[in-house]
Amino acid sequence: MSTLQLYNTYTRHTEAFVPLHNNRVGLYVCGPTVYGPPHMGHVRGPVVFDVLRRYLEFLGYKVRHVRNITDVGHLVGDGDEGEDKLGKQARLEQVEPMEVAQTYTVAYNEMCRMMNVLAPGIEPRASGHIIEQIEMIEAIISAGLAYVVNGSVYFDVLAYAKTNEYGKLSGRILEDLVAGAGNEARELEGQDEKRNPNDFALWKKASPDHIMQWNSPWGKGYPGWHIECSAMSRKYLGDVFDIHGGGMDLLFPHHESEIAQSTACTGHSPARFWVHHNMITINGQKMAKSLNNGIMADELFSGNHPLLAKAYSPMTIRFFILQAHYRGTLDFSNEALQAAEKGLQRLMNASAQVPKLPISDSTEYNVSDIQAACERSMNDDLNTPQVIAQLFEAARVCNSAADGKLKLDRSAVEALNNLFQTWLHGILGIQTEEKGNDDALNGVMQMLLTMRADAKASKNYTLSDEIRNKLTELGFSIKDGKDGSSWSL
Ligand SMILES: [Zn+2]
């Protein structure tokens, strides 16, 4: 079997993946800034890295998956200016910042659960690792790569760039950065404290009215956005680990700054592989508040948005995401989502049908060819669209066998069953929808209650009582009201 090849953004090459510590893999993924409900921009990352994790586990690795929660330090402008995103939301909602963090952490994790994303092994919060961040900032100052101004600490990009490559990950050249930073940036709050406009905050002095602030060697303040990931990945995965993941929008400044901070402390980049998924567009356009195309995850699942023709189930969304390669853009449209829904249904029907297939004495199809093609596709930089194409081939084989046009023996049927279990349900993580079960149960219960009402109306009390008693026995409670009967379990 070939080995897993992953595209490494850091080297811009597809490289064979071999973990640092024989069968163990350290995987760090940048998680959400929890200041609002999860939206469409949040659905892709968790699914992409969930499939990477599931595949690594399939290959026999023990994965330590760390996904952080940003609950402090991420400012409204994504740079070093403006209000803290959580602090602002707390002010608007008139609650504590930690209530904002808790509410939206729960909402994010619920969205992930609905899409069958396995929970990370460790989910560290930035606000819970202030000491580790301060220690790291002190180390960067000791290395001569950060300076203190007025209670704030800034990373000295020019000093760092004398002996290190700054901009390698994102492909930005420092001269361009300096020229592009322009004078208007300097006029913004705090910019005049910086020696160079490209320097970024490691620690910011807090004004007395700033809600979240901690004591530090430099006075009361709060950490910059980037230092949390350097400090937390190092704490849980060590000075160097296998894979660092995130969205392409995090390449600069977030991941570039992470590399600089970690290199300042340890002498090298924290991760060997940097894996980035591409962004989502809606009807060919970027998501933006001004375009009014920002769709929340729960609106996607309920269909309650003007741009949506109907509700799309979490499994449809998961399948839709995996039908595209993670490094390509993914365009949401009603047509594409409905096509994904149909395709998924075809695979689910085939998967359910396999155990009922007729068994022949001989076989006319070699299922292991499909299995081998699935592995080749995943090893080719997680080519999930190709895996799905193989599963459609398996569905075709299944349908032909069901129609008696193709003979499969017992071991071929078992291999086909194994293929759907391993690849569709296991590695791609597609499950039977819970909601589908709810709908079916609802339908059956309505049917029984209608039958009971009809029995009563025709004075067949023996039947109506029997239905009621049997349902009660099964744990249902039936309430008769003016508008008919209702049930609960
Ligand atoms: Zn991060």
Side-chain angles (χ1 to χ4, degrees):
M1 196 193 78
S2 59
T3 50
L4 170 61
Q5 306 281 318
L6 278 179
Y7 183 80
N8 188 350
T9 320
Y10 192 64
T11 60
R12 287 176 177 64
H13 285 292
T14 305
E15 298 169 27
F17 176 77
V18 181
L20 275 166
H21 309 288
N22 47 68
N23 70 331
R24 292 174 177 271
V25 175
L27 168 66
Y28 186 93
V29 180
C30 287
T33 301
V34 284
Y35 69 102
H39 57 72
M40 250 171 60
H42 288 120
V43 299
R44 194 175 192 186
V47 170
V48 166
F49 291 107
D50 185 53
V51 169
L52 171 59
R53 172 192 167 166
R54 285 167 183 263
Y55 189 57
L56 289 167
E57 288 176 348
F58 166 80
L59 293 176
Y61 298 121
K62 191 167 165 37
V63 181
R64 181 178 289 171
H65 178 197
V66 183
R67 187 180 67 207
N68 70 300
I69 295 287
T70 298
D71 58 0
V72 67
H74 193 170
L75 306 185
V76 170
D78 287 338
D80 294 335
E81 312 79 40
E83 218 174 330
D84 184 289
K85 289 189 177 189
L86 267 99
K88 181 181 177 186
Q89 194 60 29
R91 186 168 55 72
L92 294 174
E93 293 185 24
Q94 295 188 308
V95 294
E96 280 289 312
M98 284 306 115
E99 286 181 284
V100 173
Q102 185 65 18
T103 301
Y104 299 119
T105 300
V106 169
Y108 181 83
N109 284 335
E110 173 61 8
M111 173 199 78
C112 288
R113 192 195 61 77
M114 289 170 82
M115 290 199 298
N116 198 26
V117 170
L118 299 171
I122 306 174
E123 198 174 37
R125 286 183 171 202
S127 67
H129 296 76
I130 299 294
I131 291 167
E132 288 85 348
Q133 296 180 71
I134 289 174
E135 282 173 2
M136 204 159 189
I137 296 168
E138 284 181 312
I140 299 171
I141 295 173
S142 300
L145 297 177
Y147 54 91
V148 185
V149 185
N150 218 349
S152 292
V153 186
Y154 294 98
F155 191 92
D156 190 337
V157 171
L158 286 185
Y160 174 81
K162 278 183 192 150
T163 48
N164 298 281
E165 275 185 279
Y166 182 78
K168 183 180 172 185
L169 179 76
S170 57
R172 299 193 186 203
I173 301 161
L174 197 55
E175 286 79 57
D176 294 350
L177 288 170
V178 175
N183 289 328
E184 72 275 24
R186 274 192 170 273
E187 286 159 21
L188 290 165
E189 175 202 333
Q191 291 294 319
D192 50 354
E193 290 179 348
K194 295 182 183 178
R195 290 181 189 165
N196 181 287
N198 299 122
D199 295 351
F200 55 90
L202 298 170
W203 186 266
K204 289 274 282 186
K205 178 187 179 164
S207 56
D209 59 336
H210 195 93
I211 314 178
M212 284 184 283
Q213 48 179 291
W214 290 265
N215 286 317
S216 79
W218 318 287
K220 280 188 181 284
Y222 56 94
W225 170 31
H226 318 305
I227 193 73
E228 60 166 284
C229 287
S230 287
M232 296 191 294
S233 64
R234 191 182 186 190
K235 173 165 178 153
Y236 296 110
L237 298 172
D239 283 358
V240 59
F241 53 92
D242 296 297
I243 304 171
H244 192 310
M248 275 184 187
D249 55 336
L250 295 180
L251 276 173
F252 189 89
H254 189 55
H255 289 165
E256 201 70 73
S257 304
E258 266 189 61
I259 291 175
Q261 291 164 159
S262 296
T263 305
C265 293
T266 67
H268 50 75
S269 163
R272 290 169 60 239
F273 279 80
W274 287 81
V275 175
H276 291 91
H277 66 82
N278 213 322
M279 299 290 106
I280 277 172
T281 54
I282 301 176
N283 299 321
Q285 286 183 305
K286 270 185 79 169
M287 266 187 300
K289 275 204 177 114
S290 57
L291 296 172
N292 208 18
N293 64 1
I295 301 175
M296 297 296 147
D298 62 352
E299 293 171 334
L300 202 52
F301 301 152
S302 68
N304 188 20
H305 190 281
L307 289 178
L308 299 172
K310 62 186 286 295
Y312 300 102
S313 74
M315 278 306 122
T316 301
I317 302 298
R318 185 175 175 115
F319 185 72
F320 176 67
I321 290 168
L322 296 176
Q323 273 188 313
H325 189 261
Y326 75 94
R327 289 200 289 124
T329 52
L330 178 66
D331 188 47
F332 272 68
S333 67
N334 285 297
E335 298 72 37
L337 284 165
Q338 282 162 30
E341 191 175 41
K342 280 205 188 96
L344 174 61
Q345 198 51 54
R346 197 140 57 89
L347 293 185
M348 293 305 279
N349 290 346
S351 170
Q353 198 181 24
V354 175
K356 300 171 212 154
L357 288 180
I359 308 278
S360 301
D361 294 337
S362 58
T363 191
E364 292 171 338
Y365 197 93
N366 187 3
V367 180
S368 62
D369 287 348
I370 306 182
Q371 167 79 25
C374 284
E375 284 192 31
R376 267 200 310 277
S377 303
M378 273 308 266
N379 284 340
D380 179 17
D381 195 27
L382 310 178
N383 197 335
T384 54
Q386 278 302 319
V387 173
I388 290 172
Q390 294 302 325
L391 291 172
F392 278 122
E393 167 64 7
R396 188 193 64 76
V397 170
C398 174
N399 293 335
S400 297
D403 294 345
K405 290 175 192 152
L406 184 78
K407 285 182 186 169
L408 296 176
D409 65 9
R410 184 169 302 279
S411 73
V413 171
E414 274 169 14
L416 203 55
N417 192 44
N418 194 24
L419 188 83
F420 280 109
Q421 293 304 324
T422 303
W423 290 91
L424 181 63
H425 307 305
I427 294 166
L428 298 188
I430 300 291
Q431 274 186 334
T432 307
E433 300 270 11
E434 288 169 29
K435 199 179 168 302
N437 290 338
D438 288 352
D439 285 352
L441 180 63
N442 228 336
V444 171
M445 288 303 290
Q446 286 314 322
M447 189 177 81
L448 284 169
L449 292 178
T450 307
M451 280 169 71
R452 178 165 163 263
D454 290 349
K456 263 189 183 171
S458 56
K459 296 199 174 15
N460 184 350
Y461 297 114
T462 322
L463 180 60
S464 69
D465 286 350
E466 198 185 324
I467 292 174
R468 187 197 181 99
N469 294 344
K470 190 67 194 166
L471 286 173
T472 310
E473 212 180 291
L474 289 168
F476 291 92
S477 120
I478 310 297
K479 272 208 183 101
D480 296 320
K482 269 184 278 177
D483 308 319
S485 306
S486 63
W487 66 275
S488 60
L489 186 57

